[in-house]
Amino acid sequence: MKVLVANRGEIAVRILRACRDLGLPSVAVYSEADREALHTRYADEAVYLGPTPAAQSYLNIPAVLDAARRSGARAIHPGYGFLSENADFARAVEDAGLTFIGPRPETIALTGDKLAARRAARDAGLPVLPGPDTPLTEAIAADMAMQVQYPVLVKATAGGGGRGIRLARNPDELAAMVTAARKEAQAAFGDDTVYLEPLVQRARHIEVQILGDGAGRILCLGERECSIQRRRQKLIEEAPAHGLSAAQRAFLYDAAARVGRALGYRSLGTVEFLLDERGAFHFIEINPRIQVEHPVTEMITGLDLVKEQLRLAAGRPLRLVQDAVELRGAAIEARVLAEDPQAGFLPATGNIAHLKEPGGPGIRVDSALYAGMTVTADYDSLLAKVSAWGENRAGAILRLRRALREFQIGGVATDLEFLLQIVESPPFQAGNFDTTYLDKFDPPEARGKAALERDAALAAALVAHRKKSGALHRQEENAWRTIAWREQM
Amino acid sequence: MKVLVANRGEIAVRILRACRDLGLPSVAVYSEADREALHTRYADEAVYLGPTPAAQSYLNIPAVLDAARRSGARAIHPGYGFLSENADFARAVEDAGLTFIGPRPETIALTGDKLAARRAARDAGLPVLPGPDTPLTEAIAADMAMQVQYPVLVKATAGGGGRGIRLARNPDELAAMVTAARKEAQAAFGDDTVYLEPLVQRARHIEVQILGDGAGRILCLGERECSIQRRRQKLIEEAPAHGLSAAQRAFLYDAAARVGRALGYRSLGTVEFLLDERGAFHFIEINPRIQVEHPVTEMITGLDLVKEQLRLAAGRPLRLVQDAVELRGAAIEARVLAEDPQAGFLPATGNIAHLKEPGGPGIRVDSALYAGMTVTADYDSLLAKVSAWGENRAGAILRLRRALREFQIGGVATDLEFLLQIVESPPFQAGNFDTTYLDKFDPPEARGKAALERDAALAAALVAHRKKSGALHRQEENAWRTIAWREQM
Amino acid sequence: MSIYYVSIGEREYNVQITNSHVLVDGEPIKADLTPLNENGLHVFRQGNCNRDFYLNPQAQGIYEVLAEGRRVLARVGPAGRRANAKGAAQAGDIVAPMPGLVVMVGIKVGDCVEAEQVLMVLESMKMQMQLKAPFAGQVKQLTVAAGAQVEKGALLVKIREATE
Amino acid sequence: MSIYYVSIGEREYNVQITNSHVLVDGEPIKADLTPLNENGLHVFRQGNCNRDFYLNPQAQGIYEVLAEGRRVLARVGPAGRRANAKGAAQAGDIVAPMPGLVVMVGIKVGDCVEAEQVLMVLESMKMQMQLKAPFAGQVKQLTVAAGAQVEKGALLVKIREATE
C-alpha cells in the first residue's frame, strides 16, 4: 500500500516514519515554499502540489488527488489541520478509489458540525452542556438574552482550533458577540452558524483517545489533559490527566467508547471533555483525526498510533482487545513554536543557523527541522514537539525540563523559555491549574538573569570585537585561552 | 549530594542528565583534549584533571580526588571503563570520606579477579565452566596439555573488554597461547595471571542486570543479549534475549540474584553468562558497574538505572520489589563507532562538520556529539548509542533501522553502514546468531549501490565545479533549479 | 583598548576589551569565549563553569545570544558610541510587528484617520493582526498594498497629526 | 563545458557539466543539487525523488559523500586529467593506516629487517596495531620516534630491498 501524506512539517515526517517502520512506500507532497523541506527528503517520492498559499497547495483537493494518481499512491493520510477534517476531501479520496486514512466522510461531516456532534453524544448518553440545539441568530439572541446564564460562549458550529468563539458576560453583550463570532466564523470556515454553550469556570480540558475499526469495535487508549493553553491553543499536554479517580476514569472511557460505538467510528479520534470544579465531565466535541499531542498517548500505551491507523486502513482488524491496553507512567509534551514571547508571542521567522535537539533517557523529539532551514510565515508556527516520559508525572516534568534546557534553536525566536517557565512553575508542578492558567501566568524573574545578561553582553562584545579585528582574532583568542587556562591550574 | 562524574563522552553526559533529573549539583572533569567537550558544558562545574593521556587525567586517582575536594563533591560516579573497575580507586574515594557510586571496593576486587569471581559463583550454586581454579603458567600448561579438551581459551584473570584472551586449538598451541595471553595481559592490566576456560561453541552472550542495596536485597532487572560482537567487542545489544523459555529465564534470574545476594552486592552490576547450543547457561563474569548497553534495560523496565544508583548512593532504600519490575516490549541498541569499515575497522578521526541525530517514536540517542566537535584518537571510538524500543523485537529492529538511516555524521568515518547491514541481515532478524556471527558476516551488496555511487560521483563533480566557478555558482545553480523545476511541472 | 556599549532590554553595559583582559562596567571579568564551530556555537568559560553560548550576528549590530534555555538580543554599539536601543522611528511610524502577508489595507495616502482606526491587517502563521492608528492624524506615506509580503520591522505607514 | 573524472573505489566516472545539463559517462542525467546550509548538506533531486546528500570536501580533491546511510569517498580529478586513485606511494613505503600515537619503534635507519618483522606499534582509541615490513630490506628513512602523534596516511618508514 503506497501512502501519500497530504501534509507538511513534523506531522508529515511522523507519518512517513511510520510508513518506513511498516515498510510501506511513501509519497510526500509540497508547495513551492517547501521544495526542500525535510518531509520531501524523507519520503520515497515527493510530488509538487502548487504555489505557496495553502489554498493552492495543501488545501487544493484536485492537486492532492492528482499527486496520488501520478505517484500511484493507494491511500492518503491527511495528518492534522489542512484537509484532515474536510468531509468533501475524504469523499473525493474514496470516490477516486483510494483509501482515506481516517474516519468515514459522514463521520467527519457530523463531527465538523458541533451541534450535530453534541446531539449524537447526548443520544449516546454522554453528559452534554445545556443549551439550545439550534443555531443562533442575532434575533434569537435578543429574544432569549434574559434567560441565559452568564458568562456564556458563542461558538461556531464549524469551529476548530479555538477560532470562532466569543464570550458574552451579560445580556447586553450577547447580540454583539453573536455578530462577532458569526463574522469570524464566516471568514475562517465559510459558515457563520453559531450556537450557545455555557462557560464552564475553572475547567480542565480532558480528552480520550479512541481507535475504532469502523464496525463497532472501539479501543479506548487512555486520556490526555490539555489544559495548558494560550488563547485556546494547546501548549503543553500530558497523559494521564493527574488526580482523576478510578471512577472518573471509568466514566470517561465508557463515555468515549459509547459515542465511538454509536458512530461506528473508524480510525483514530479524540473525544474532548471539560472537567468542571465539581469533578463532572461535559462532552464538547470529537476530533476526527490524529492529534498534535498523540505522542504522550504513545509513550504511556507503548502503541504506535499512526501504525495502527495504517494497519486498519490496509484492511487489517484491530490488533488489540481493551484489556491488553496497559498504561505505564506519565508523559508530557511541550510545543516548540516560532513565536516570540518577548514580543507578545507574535510569529517569528528566520533561518535556523544552529540546531541542537535534546536526547537521552525518556525524551522524544518530533520535528522537521534541520540546520539551514528557513522558517517562513506561510504556515503554522509549530517547529517541534518535545515529549518526556517518566515513571510518574514528577519524573516526566523533570525530564521535560532537562530536554527544554538542552534544546538549542538559533536564528529564530521560539517559546522555549516560556515553556521552561511554565514547566518550572509550582502550580503546574502541583497540578493546580485549569484552562485559564496562562491568562494570569506571570513567572518570577529567572534566577541568575542579571548575571546571564551581563555574560551575554560580554560575549556579544567579544564577538563584535573579533569580527572587527578580523585576522587578529585567532591570536587574541589564544591569549585569552592561555589566561583562562592559567587561572584554572 | 554534589556528584562528580569521573568520566567523559556519552556516559558522562548520561550520568549528568540523571543528576539534572534529580536536581543534584554536578561536577565534570576533563583532560586537556576535552577542554570544550560537551560533558564539561553539561555539568554545573568542570574541573581540569591533567594532560590528554588517560593515565595523567581520567586514570589519575589523585587528580580525580583533588577535583572532588576542590569542587566540594560528595560522591563520585565512575561510569564505565577508566577507573570504574579499580578497587583501589573505590577504596581511595571512601577513605577520603566520599561516596563511591558503585559496589564496595572488596566486591570490585573480587569481580576483577575472574578466578575468584568464578569460585564465588560456584559457591553460590551457579553453573560454571569446568577448568582448574588456579592460575596457569607455561610449565603447568605443558604438564596438562594432553588432558585438556580443545579448543580452549586462555584468559587473563584481570581481563576485561575482550582483551587478554587467546584461543588454543590443540595441545601444540597451548604453551604459546599462554605466553601470548600473559604478555598481553601484563601490558593491558599490569597482571599476567591467566587461566583456562573451555570454549563454548556457538554460544550466545546473555547477561542479567542486577541492582543491590548492599544489605542482601537484590533486584533482577531482566536480561540482555549481546551476541553481536566484533573481535569480542559488543556492537548490538538487545533486551530481552529472544526465544528464551520461561524456565530458562527463571533459572537465569535466580542464578544472578543468588550470586548477588552471596556478595551482598551494592549498586548496579551485570552477571554474564554464555548460553550454549543445548540451552544451558554458564557463568562467566560479573561487571561491577553501569554497562554501555544499559539503555535497552531502561527501555523495557521503564526504570532509570543511573537515577537508581544515585538514590541508593544517597542512602535511600531500594524503591521497588521484584514483583513490581515489569518488562514491556523489546529494545535494541547499536553502537555508533568512529571506525571505518572500508578500512578494516581502523579507528577514524576528524571534525564532525555536520550532525543530524535521529528522532521520532521509540528512538533514544545517547551521545556527547555536537557539530564542530573534533574526534581524536586519544580515547575510545564510541560516538553515540542509538536505541530503539518496539512492542516486540521485529518492531524494535524496524525502528532501529529507520534511526540508523536518519543518522548523519559528516567529517569522520563511522560504522553506521555496517550497523545497517547487520540489522538488515535475515539471520539477525530471525534471531539466528551467536557470538561468532560477525566473524563470517558478509553482507550482500546493497540494493541501488551502483546508482548511489553514480549519483555521489555526479554530486561531487558538481560541488567541485561550483567551487572552481566561485562566484558564478549561484547563478548556475539557479539555472539548474529552474530546469529541474520545469521538468517536474 | 576597545570600548563597546551593549544594550540588552533597558540595560546598557560598557565593555572594555584589551589583549589581556575585559572590564564590564569597569569591573574586571575573568572569562573566555571559544568558538566550537563556524555556525556560532561557543563555549563561555568562567571560573569552573563551561556554558554553551550561541551567538548569531543579525542586522544593525544586534546579536542573538542563546544560553541556558534563554534568548537575549544584545545590541552592540560601535566602539566609543552609544547604541540607540530605540532606533530612529518616530511616533506615528507604523512598522510591521511580525513578518507576514498584508491581507487588507483600509487607507490611502492623504486619508484622515481616527485614533484606534484599523489601518491594515497582517497575517502570519495563520494568525491575523490589526494595525491601528496610534492617534488621530493623516496618512502621509503608505509603502505596501494588499498581498505584499513584509519583513518584521518594515515601515508600513506614516501617520502625522493633521495640519489643517 | 567542464569534464571531471571521479573515482569511487575501483570505478571511475566521467562527468561533463555545462550550464544546462550534465552527462555521466556520456549519458544525460536530469538531476539537481541544492545546498541547504553552509556545512555541506544538500538536497539531490532526481525525478520525483529528493535525497539528503552531505558533501564534505577533504584534502586532495576527495569528497566525503553521505547518502541513505552510506558513506562514499569520491576523488575528483581536475578537468581533463585522470585522478590517480592509488597515489604515489611506492612498495616499501610504510604509511600510518590510522591516526594515532606511536608507542614503540623497533628499528633505526640503516637496520636490515626481515619480511614480517615488526617495525613499530601504533595506538589509537585503545587499539594497538603492529606495522610490519612487507619484505626483507633495509630501513632507508624513519620519520617518527616513539611518542609521536601521526595522521592517517603519514609516511613513517621507507624500506628498500637491501643493495649489498
Side-chain angles (χ1 to χ4, degrees):
Chain A
M1 182 175 78
K2 189 185 259 194
V3 178
L4 183 144
V5 180
N7 216 302
R8 63 179 303 281
E10 72 85 17
I11 193 64
V13 171
R14 166 68 187 93
I15 297 162
L16 293 168
R17 281 178 166 142
C19 291
R20 279 208 187 164
D21 289 348
L22 288 173
L24 298 176
S26 60
V27 182
V29 291
Y30 60 93
S31 70
E32 193 161 337
D34 280 341
R35 292 189 68 226
E36 281 111 32
L38 185 61
H39 72 284
T40 70
R41 288 135 54 199
Y42 204 95
D44 297 324
E45 295 169 52
V47 180
Y48 175 70
L49 280 183
T52 297
Q56 294 171 67
S57 49
Y58 299 107
L59 290 172
N60 182 343
I61 295 178
V64 171
L65 292 176
D66 189 53
R69 191 188 49 70
R70 280 192 287 157
S71 61
R74 300 302 313 148
I76 296 184
H77 196 306
Y80 54 68
F82 292 130
L83 295 170
S84 64
E85 299 184 49
N86 185 320
D88 292 338
F89 175 63
R91 204 168 286 121
V93 169
E94 301 200 339
D95 287 349
L98 307 175
T99 301
F100 179 77
I101 303 176
R104 276 187 294 270
E106 54 272 27
T107 311
I108 298 177
L110 181 134
T111 60
D113 177 343
K114 310 264 173 243
L115 274 178
R118 189 162 85 166
R119 276 192 298 269
R122 191 170 42 217
D123 291 347
L126 273 66
V128 165
L129 287 166
D133 254 3
T134 45
L136 203 63
T137 60
E138 283 83 350
I140 301 176
D143 278 355
M144 63 187 297
M146 298 309 295
Q147 287 100 60
V148 172
Q149 273 245 307
Y150 294 89
V152 73
L153 293 174
V154 183
K155 295 175 76 172
T157 57
R163 289 170 90 177
I165 302 182
R166 283 290 183 284
L167 178 73
R169 283 187 212 82
N170 52 56
D172 298 339
E173 283 185 358
L174 187 62
M177 290 304 163
V178 169
T179 304
R182 289 182 71 172
K183 208 166 141 191
E184 185 174 324
Q186 180 65 41
F189 316 112
D191 175 349
D192 70 351
T193 317
V194 298
Y195 65 106
L196 271 194
E197 196 176 84
L199 176 74
V200 180
Q201 310 258 20
R202 281 171 287 280
R204 292 168 61 190
H205 176 111
I206 313 272
E207 60 186 33
V208 181
Q209 179 72 63
I210 61 171
L211 178 67
D213 66 357
R217 279 194 58 208
I218 298 289
L219 280 183
C220 185
L221 305 177
E223 84 282 5
R224 294 184 287 256
E225 165 146 24
C226 316
S227 301
I228 301 294
Q229 306 181 355
R230 216 188 69 78
R231 296 196 187 157
R232 304 186 197 278
Q233 303 289 332
K234 300 169 183 172
L235 202 56
I236 293 181
E237 300 103 336
E238 53 187 280
H242 66 89
L244 296 191
S245 68
Q248 280 180 306
R249 216 159 251 140
F251 176 87
L252 199 58
Y253 297 173
D254 176 63
R258 220 151 357 109
V259 69
R261 272 192 302 271
L263 298 178
Y265 200 90
R266 184 180 84 183
S267 196
L268 280 182
T270 301
V271 187
E272 297 194 335
F273 297 86
L274 292 179
L275 174 60
D276 71 22
E277 291 178 272
R278 283 163 309 184
F281 292 101
H282 308 278
F283 169 87
I284 41 176
E285 64 181 74
I286 298 173
N287 287 326
R289 51 166 169 85
I290 186 108
Q291 304 270 104
V292 175
E293 59 269 25
H294 75 277
V296 294
T297 297
E298 296 188 323
M299 286 176 125
I300 66 162
T301 59
L303 297 173
D304 186 316
L305 298 183
V306 181
K307 271 160 71 171
E308 298 300 339
Q309 282 189 302
L310 292 169
R311 283 193 186 107
L312 284 171
R316 312 260 199 92
L318 270 186
R319 267 182 338 121
L320 289 171
V321 293
Q322 186 64 51
D323 286 349
V325 177
E326 279 179 62
L327 308 184
R328 177 189 260 192
I332 309 191
E333 175 193 275
R335 300 192 190 190
V336 181
L337 307 175
E339 294 185 1
D340 189 354
Q342 291 174 37
F345 292 90
L346 288 181
T349 58
N351 184 277
I352 299 185
H354 169 69
L355 176 67
K356 179 108 178 75
E357 294 186 344
I363 299 304
R364 165 176 170 182
V365 178
D366 286 274
S367 88
L369 302 179
Y370 58 94
M373 172 182 163
T374 298
V375 177
T376 68
D378 304 312
Y379 309 109
D380 82 27
S381 61
L382 183 64
L383 294 177
K385 305 184 306 201
V386 185
S387 309
W389 182 90
E391 284 181 68
N392 50 43
R393 184 171 187 268
I397 288 174
L398 286 164
R399 282 178 164 174
L400 179 61
R401 176 169 176 256
R402 183 234 300 158
L404 292 171
R405 285 179 64 193
E406 285 182 22
F407 211 145
Q408 298 175 347
I409 300 179
V412 60
T414 72
D415 64 345
L416 274 167
E417 181 173 355
F418 184 65
L419 293 170
L420 254 176
Q421 288 169 333
I422 298 169
V423 165
E424 291 178 351
S425 68
F428 175 77
Q429 297 191 348
N432 184 17
F433 55 82
D434 59 48
T435 55
T436 64
Y437 184 63
L438 295 186
D439 298 348
K440 318 158 269 207
F441 183 59
D442 185 19
E445 180 153 306
R447 263 187 309 151
K449 180 165 182 272
L452 180 82
E453 290 194 355
R454 192 203 53 186
D455 293 347
L458 168 54
L462 278 171
V463 172
H465 182 67
R466 287 170 191 177
K467 235 171 115 180
K468 198 182 55 148
S469 328
L472 284 171
H473 94 257
R474 273 277 149 199
Q475 198 182 329
E476 183 173 301
E477 185 185 297
N478 287 339
W480 271 98
R481 291 177 58 150
T482 312
I483 295 159
W485 192 239
R486 215 180 296 128
E487 277 158 4
Q488 275 178 357
M489 310 280 273
Chain B
M1 182 175 79
K2 189 186 259 194
V3 178
L4 183 143
V5 180
N7 217 301
R8 64 180 300 283
E10 70 86 15
I11 192 63
V13 172
R14 166 68 188 93
I15 297 163
L16 293 167
R17 280 178 166 143
C19 291
R20 277 208 189 164
D21 289 348
L22 288 172
L24 298 174
S26 61
V27 182
V29 291
Y30 61 93
S31 70
E32 193 161 337
D34 280 341
R35 291 188 68 227
E36 280 113 31
L38 185 61
H39 73 283
T40 72
R41 287 136 53 198
Y42 203 95
D44 296 324
E45 295 170 51
V47 181
Y48 176 71
L49 280 183
T52 297
Q56 294 170 67
S57 50
Y58 298 108
L59 290 172
N60 182 343
I61 296 179
V64 173
L65 292 176
D66 190 53
R69 191 188 49 70
R70 280 193 286 156
S71 61
R74 300 303 312 148
I76 296 184
H77 196 306
Y80 55 68
F82 292 129
L83 294 170
S84 64
E85 299 186 48
N86 185 319
D88 292 340
F89 175 63
R91 204 168 284 120
V93 170
E94 299 199 341
D95 288 350
L98 307 175
T99 300
F100 179 78
I101 302 176
R104 278 188 293 270
E106 53 271 28
T107 310
I108 298 176
L110 182 133
T111 59
D113 176 344
K114 309 262 173 248
L115 276 177
R118 189 160 84 164
R119 277 193 299 272
R122 191 168 43 218
D123 292 348
L126 271 67
V128 164
L129 287 166
D133 253 5
T134 47
L136 202 64
T137 60
E138 283 83 349
I140 301 175
D143 279 354
M144 63 187 299
M146 298 308 294
Q147 286 100 61
V148 172
Q149 273 244 308
Y150 294 90
V152 73
L153 293 173
V154 184
K155 295 176 75 173
T157 58
R163 290 168 88 176
I165 302 182
R166 283 290 183 284
L167 178 72
R169 280 187 213 82
N170 53 55
D172 299 339
E173 283 186 358
L174 187 62
M177 290 303 163
V178 169
T179 305
R182 289 182 70 172
K183 210 166 138 190
E184 185 174 324
Q186 180 65 42
F189 315 113
D191 176 349
D192 71 351
T193 317
V194 299
Y195 66 106
L196 274 192
E197 198 175 84
L199 176 75
V200 180
Q201 310 257 24
R202 281 172 288 279
R204 291 168 62 189
H205 176 111
I206 312 273
E207 60 186 32
V208 182
Q209 178 72 63
I210 61 169
L211 178 67
D213 66 356
R217 277 194 60 208
I218 298 289
L219 279 184
C220 187
L221 306 177
E223 83 282 3
R224 293 183 287 256
E225 164 145 26
C226 316
S227 300
I228 301 294
Q229 306 181 356
R230 217 187 68 79
R231 296 196 185 155
R232 303 186 198 282
Q233 303 288 335
K234 298 169 184 171
L235 203 56
I236 293 182
E237 300 103 335
E238 53 187 280
H242 65 91
L244 297 191
S245 68
Q248 281 179 307
R249 215 160 250 139
F251 177 87
L252 198 59
Y253 297 173
D254 176 64
R258 219 149 0 104
V259 69
R261 273 193 300 271
L263 299 177
Y265 199 90
R266 185 181 81 184
S267 197
L268 280 183
T270 300
V271 187
E272 297 195 334
F273 297 86
L274 292 179
L275 174 60
D276 70 22
E277 291 177 273
R278 283 163 309 184
F281 291 101
H282 308 278
F283 169 87
I284 43 175
E285 64 181 74
I286 298 172
N287 287 327
R289 51 166 171 84
I290 186 107
Q291 303 272 104
V292 175
E293 59 269 25
H294 74 276
V296 293
T297 298
E298 296 187 322
M299 286 177 125
I300 66 161
T301 59
L303 297 172
D304 185 316
L305 298 182
V306 180
K307 270 161 71 171
E308 297 301 338
Q309 282 190 302
L310 293 168
R311 284 192 184 110
L312 283 171
R316 310 262 199 92
L318 273 185
R319 264 183 339 124
L320 288 172
V321 293
Q322 187 64 51
D323 285 348
V325 177
E326 279 179 62
L327 308 184
R328 175 189 261 195
I332 309 192
E333 174 193 275
R335 299 192 191 191
V336 181
L337 307 174
E339 294 184 1
D340 189 354
Q342 291 174 37
F345 293 91
L346 288 180
T349 59
N351 184 277
I352 298 183
H354 169 67
L355 176 68
K356 179 106 178 75
E357 295 187 342
I363 300 303
R364 165 175 169 182
V365 178
D366 285 274
S367 88
L369 302 179
Y370 58 95
M373 172 182 165
T374 298
V375 178
T376 68
D378 303 312
Y379 309 110
D380 80 28
S381 61
L382 183 64
L383 294 177
K385 305 184 308 204
V386 185
S387 309
W389 182 91
E391 283 181 70
N392 50 42
R393 184 170 186 270
I397 288 174
L398 286 165
R399 282 179 164 173
L400 179 61
R401 175 169 177 257
R402 182 235 300 161
L404 292 171
R405 286 179 64 193
E406 286 182 21
F407 211 147
Q408 298 176 346
I409 300 179
V412 60
T414 71
D415 65 346
L416 274 167
E417 182 173 354
F418 184 65
L419 293 170
L420 254 177
Q421 289 170 333
I422 299 169
V423 165
E424 291 177 352
S425 68
F428 175 77
Q429 296 191 351
N432 184 17
F433 54 82
D434 58 47
T435 56
T436 64
Y437 183 64
L438 295 187
D439 299 348
K440 317 157 270 203
F441 182 61
D442 185 19
E445 180 154 303
R447 261 186 311 151
K449 180 164 181 275
L452 181 82
E453 290 193 356
R454 192 204 53 185
D455 292 346
L458 168 54
L462 278 172
V463 171
H465 182 68
R466 287 171 190 177
K467 237 171 115 178
K468 200 181 56 146
S469 329
L472 283 172
H473 95 258
R474 274 278 150 198
Q475 198 181 326
E476 184 171 302
E477 185 185 298
N478 287 339
W480 272 96
R481 291 177 60 151
T482 310
I483 295 159
W485 193 239
R486 215 177 299 127
E487 278 158 3
Q488 274 178 358
M489 309 280 273
Chain C
M1 188 185 72
S2 307
I3 301 182
Y4 297 85
Y5 294 94
V6 186
S7 303
I8 294 177
E10 297 297 294
R11 183 92 163 74
E12 189 180 82
Y13 301 84
N14 171 320
V15 182
Q16 296 181 33
I17 302 180
T18 73
N19 267 340
S20 59
H21 63 275
V22 286
L23 300 174
V24 178
D25 292 342
E27 193 189 329
I29 305 278
K30 285 175 190 156
D32 165 34
L33 185 77
T34 309
L36 296 173
N37 63 27
E38 286 167 19
N39 299 331
L41 185 63
H42 293 70
V43 53
F44 184 85
R45 185 180 284 115
Q46 194 169 20
N48 268 349
C49 187
N50 279 9
R51 283 289 163 268
D52 275 15
F53 266 53
Y54 169 75
L55 285 128
N56 183 21
Q58 303 184 315
Q60 301 168 313
I62 293 176
Y63 289 79
E64 178 189 15
V65 186
L66 296 184
E68 316 207 22
R70 290 185 218 146
R71 180 173 184 270
V72 159
L73 293 182
R75 184 187 293 259
V76 181
R81 187 151 52 83
R82 274 167 197 275
N84 182 344
K86 299 285 174 201
Q90 282 186 44
D93 287 1
I94 313 295
V95 300
M98 61 183 188
L101 179 74
V102 178
V103 290
M104 189 277 279
V105 177
I107 47 158
K108 57 184 192 301
V109 173
D111 279 3
C112 285
V113 295
E114 297 299 306
E116 295 294 298
Q117 180 178 332
V118 175
L119 305 173
M120 58 175 68
V121 178
L122 265 185
E123 181 172 293
S124 182
M125 294 175 181
K126 301 194 302 191
M127 178 176 169
Q128 290 201 348
M129 175 176 246
Q130 300 178 334
L131 302 185
K132 297 178 181 174
F135 47 76
Q138 196 177 19
V139 177
K140 292 291 182 189
Q141 192 181 344
L142 173 65
T143 67
V144 293
Q149 203 72 42
V150 297
E151 293 300 308
K152 182 177 171 177
L155 176 68
L156 304 175
V157 184
K158 274 187 203 265
I159 306 284
R160 294 291 178 266
E161 279 180 48
T163 49
E164 294 137 87
Chain D
M1 187 184 73
S2 305
I3 301 182
Y4 297 86
Y5 294 94
V6 186
S7 303
I8 294 177
E10 297 297 295
R11 182 91 163 74
E12 192 180 81
Y13 300 84
N14 172 317
V15 182
Q16 297 180 32
I17 301 181
T18 73
N19 267 342
S20 58
H21 62 276
V22 286
L23 299 173
V24 178
D25 292 342
E27 193 190 329
I29 305 276
K30 285 177 191 155
D32 164 33
L33 186 76
T34 310
L36 296 173
N37 63 27
E38 286 166 19
N39 299 330
L41 184 64
H42 293 70
V43 54
F44 184 84
R45 184 179 286 116
Q46 195 168 21
N48 266 351
C49 186
N50 277 9
R51 284 288 162 269
D52 275 15
F53 266 52
Y54 169 75
L55 286 129
N56 183 21
Q58 303 184 316
Q60 302 167 314
I62 293 176
Y63 288 79
E64 177 189 16
V65 186
L66 296 184
E68 315 208 24
R70 292 186 218 145
R71 181 174 182 270
V72 159
L73 293 181
R75 185 187 293 259
V76 181
R81 188 152 50 84
R82 272 164 199 278
N84 180 344
K86 299 284 173 203
Q90 281 186 43
D93 288 0
I94 313 294
V95 300
M98 61 184 186
L101 180 74
V102 178
V103 291
M104 190 277 279
V105 176
I107 47 157
K108 56 185 192 302
V109 172
D111 281 2
C112 286
V113 296
E114 297 299 307
E116 293 296 297
Q117 181 178 331
V118 175
L119 306 173
M120 59 176 67
V121 177
L122 264 185
E123 181 172 294
S124 181
M125 294 178 182
K126 301 194 300 190
M127 177 176 171
Q128 289 201 349
M129 173 176 248
Q130 298 177 338
L131 302 184
K132 297 176 180 177
F135 46 75
Q138 197 178 16
V139 177
K140 292 294 182 190
Q141 193 182 342
L142 173 65
T143 67
V144 291
Q149 203 71 43
V150 298
E151 293 300 309
K152 180 176 173 179
L155 176 69
L156 305 175
V157 186
K158 274 186 201 264
I159 307 285
R160 294 293 177 263
E161 280 180 46
T163 50
E164 294 137 85

